[in-house]
Amino acid sequence: MPINIRRFEESPPEDLRASGRTNAEAILSLLASTPDQAFTPKEIHKATDVKRGSVGVVLSRLEERGLVRHRGDYWAIATDVDAEKTLSAMSTARAASERLGTEDPDEWGPGVDSDDE
């Protein structure tokens, strides 16, 4: 959702983080909420507002993780997925990334050895 340009210019950067679910969370939520149905990518796009060009990529990544399955043009939640637990973990990971930033040691700055534990 767009913000007012005054807010854009006057707010500290930490207050200007976009929030909300990721595309993967939106798609997985839809499929998990209707485990007795399968959808085409176009139907998923319409139901979630995920950009049409992103739906296929997200579905493929979810399938690689064993979270969704497909036959022909239709996609559904995988049969053995604890969707609530998975969505909770995705939300927690997103929140941690937003709060703590990157895990790339090259971006931590000088004097930090990523091998030290």
Side-chain angles (χ1 to χ4, degrees), residues 9 15 17 23 32 38 42 45 50 55 58 75 86 88 107:
E9 291 172 344
D15 290 347
R17 297 194 191 279
N23 290 343
K42 183 177 180 179
H45 157 70
V50 172
V55 171
V58 172
W75 293 80
T86 301
S88 177
E107 294 182 18

Side-chain angles (χ1 to χ4, degrees), residues 3-81:
I3 61 171
N4 178 293
I5 196 68
R6 185 174 179 180
R7 179 175 174 213
F8 170 80
E9 291 172 344
E10 295 176 0
S11 296
E14 58 272 10
D15 290 347
L16 297 177
R17 297 194 191 279
S19 60
R21 298 186 305 180
T22 64
N23 290 343
E25 289 171 301
I27 291 173
L28 194 59
S29 291
L30 169 69
L31 297 178
S33 69
T34 55
D36 57 338
Q37 296 181 2
F39 298 84
T40 66
K42 183 177 180 179
E43 292 166 335
I44 293 169
H45 157 70
K46 287 181 178 180
T48 62
D49 289 329
V50 172
K51 291 182 181 179
R52 179 67 181 97
S54 298
V55 171
V57 174
V58 172
L59 286 169
S60 293
R61 289 181 182 161
L62 291 172
E63 182 181 33
E64 287 172 6
R65 295 178 183 159
L67 300 172
V68 301
R69 57 196 166 116
H70 84 277
R71 294 185 69 172
D73 293 334
Y74 287 86
W75 293 80
I77 191 79
T79 56
D80 57 348
V81 170

Side-chain angles (χ1 to χ4, degrees), residues 82-113:
D82 183 344
E84 186 174 322
K85 183 177 178 181
T86 301
L87 287 165
S88 177
M90 292 169 91
S91 177
T92 300
R94 178 177 34 80
S97 293
E98 288 172 359
R99 181 172 180 176
L100 302 174
T102 182
E103 290 190 22
D104 183 355
D106 293 333
E107 294 182 18
W108 291 346
V112 177
D113 185 356

